[in-house]
Amino acid sequence: MIAIFINAAAIIIGSAIGAVARKGIRQKYINVLNTAMGLCALVLGCNVAMASMQKTHYPVLFIFCLSLGGLLGTLLRLDQHMENATRSMSTSNLAEGITTAILMCCVGTLAMMGPVMSALYDDNTYLMTAATLNLVTMIVISSSYGFGTAVTAVVVFIWMSSIYGIAKLSQSFISEELISEVSLVGGILIAASGLGILNIKDCKTINLMPALIMPILFFAIKSLC
């Protein structure tokens, strides 16, 4: 579990470094960083989605996950709640930055296999590598959106701890199939976030976030049948 705490700390430290650096950066350079982050998110998301698509055993599952997740997120008005929560902070588009940060830090093999390897084999290699990447990622994101993105640490801690706990309780539930399905959905959401950062299309990515839970529910129901 200590490596999960280190991941959360890395996100906070990265956010602090980026926020301090932001104060000495002119707006035109911040705009360039935004564009770079948008392109990286778009390409990374597409790459994760396509790679996961090659491994999936349920080619249409992601469609149902995104549809149901989007409907649930819209019903819960997640975008409005996020905007209200960040309205008092000075940084514009902070909700967009937090959403992007959460997706970048929670989706992928390192963020999902790391807690599993730690729980089952006491191997923290994946988690420590994830912490390093999260540190760098948050420096870039917070340099564009401010220190408010540090709240990502809470979400990442809960996400990794949940996977760690599930792996401890049920070794058979966390499978490569499940990781592939979550990564596929997550890759699409990262790409959608990139479109929003680039001002190409506001996909209301925060409303689609519940889609990440849908593959877990699918495999949970499947294991009971």
Side-chain angles (χ1 to χ4, degrees), residues 94-117:
L94 180 58
E96 180 180 80
I98 293 173
T99 302
T100 302
I102 290 173
L103 290 170
M104 297 285 277
C105 294
C106 288
V107 175
T109 302
L110 292 176
M112 299 179 66
M113 277 302 296
V116 174
M117 295 295 289

Side-chain angles (χ1 to χ4, degrees), residues 22-52:
R22 173 186 174 84
K23 295 179 180 179
I25 302 177
R26 294 181 180 179
Q27 186 59 44
K28 65 178 180 180
Y29 297 119
I30 292 177
N31 292 338
V32 170
L33 288 174
N34 275 334
T35 300
M37 179 54 64
L39 290 172
C40 289
L42 182 59
V43 173
L44 177 63
C46 290
N47 181 63
V48 171
M50 294 302 295
S52 300

Side-chain angles (χ1 to χ4, degrees), residues 66-81 203-211:
L66 287 168
S67 300
L68 294 175
L71 288 173
L72 178 59
T74 302
L75 179 64
L76 295 175
R77 298 186 298 176
L78 295 182
D79 59 333
Q80 294 180 32
H81 292 310
C203 299
K204 301 290 184 183
T205 312
I206 187 66
N207 283 342
L208 293 170
M209 292 285 277

Side-chain angles (χ1 to χ4, degrees), residues 4 10 13 17 22 46 97 107 111 124 129 132 137 140 144 149 151 161 176 184 187 195 200 202 210 216 221-222:
I4 295 177
I13 294 171
I17 294 173
R22 173 186 174 84
C46 290
V107 175
N124 291 319
T129 303
T132 303
T137 298
V140 177
S144 296
T149 54
V151 300
S161 297
E176 290 188 7
L184 173 54
L195 292 176
I200 296 175
D202 183 5
I216 298 175
I221 295 173
K222 181 173 176 289

